[in-house]
Amino acid sequence: VQLQASGGGLVQGGGSLRLSCTTSGGAFSSRPVAWYRQAPGKQRELVASITRSGSTNYADSVKGRFTISSDNAKNTVYLQMNSLKPEDTAVYYCTLVATGYWGQGTLVTVSS
């Protein structure tokens, strides 16, 4: 099983980015997918998750600004991030929940 995360970059505060997480390998295809992030000096934290049926969950800090969605035909989960703030700066990781499989991380930097 492999997860490929992409879409990070440098953006000004108030801007938007869309992250993508594509899974391959077939196994665990029914598992929910989650995005986590880890800022320098901080613990990794859950940002959002989505089940294969489309149920979503968000951290309070991103509710109303971030949207997680999936395209099951493409085995891809997206994280649309709007109204970005400097405190959203972190490495963002996607994972198949409760499998131990993680993507390599993609860096999001939000300038003030």
Side-chain angles (χ1 to χ4, degrees), residues 14-112:
S16 299
L17 283 174
R18 188 177 79 158
L19 306 183
S20 299
C21 176
T22 300
T23 62
S24 62
F28 305 113
S29 60
S30 63
R31 298 299 302 167
V33 174
W35 284 97
Y36 283 73
R37 67 186 180 187
Q38 188 166 19
K42 294 187 177 181
Q43 289 189 331
R44 193 172 294 189
E45 62 175 358
L46 176 67
V47 176
S49 64
I50 186 167
T51 68
R52 296 300 175 166
S53 63
S55 296
T56 58
N57 181 54
Y58 296 93
D60 288 343
S61 59
V62 306
K63 281 181 181 176
R65 301 189 297 123
F66 291 11
T67 302
I68 191 170
S69 62
S70 64
D71 184 335
N72 291 337
K74 295 182 178 180
N75 291 323
T76 300
V77 171
Y78 304 98
L79 185 68
Q80 178 66 43
M81 306 186 293
N82 298 328
S83 302
L84 282 162
K85 305 174 182 180
E87 50 263 45
D88 295 317
T89 294
V91 178
Y92 284 70
Y93 300 89
C94 59
T95 182
L96 282 168
V97 173
T99 65
Y101 290 102
W102 291 81
Q104 82 284 11
T106 185
L107 176 62
V108 172
T109 304
V110 184
S111 63
S112 57

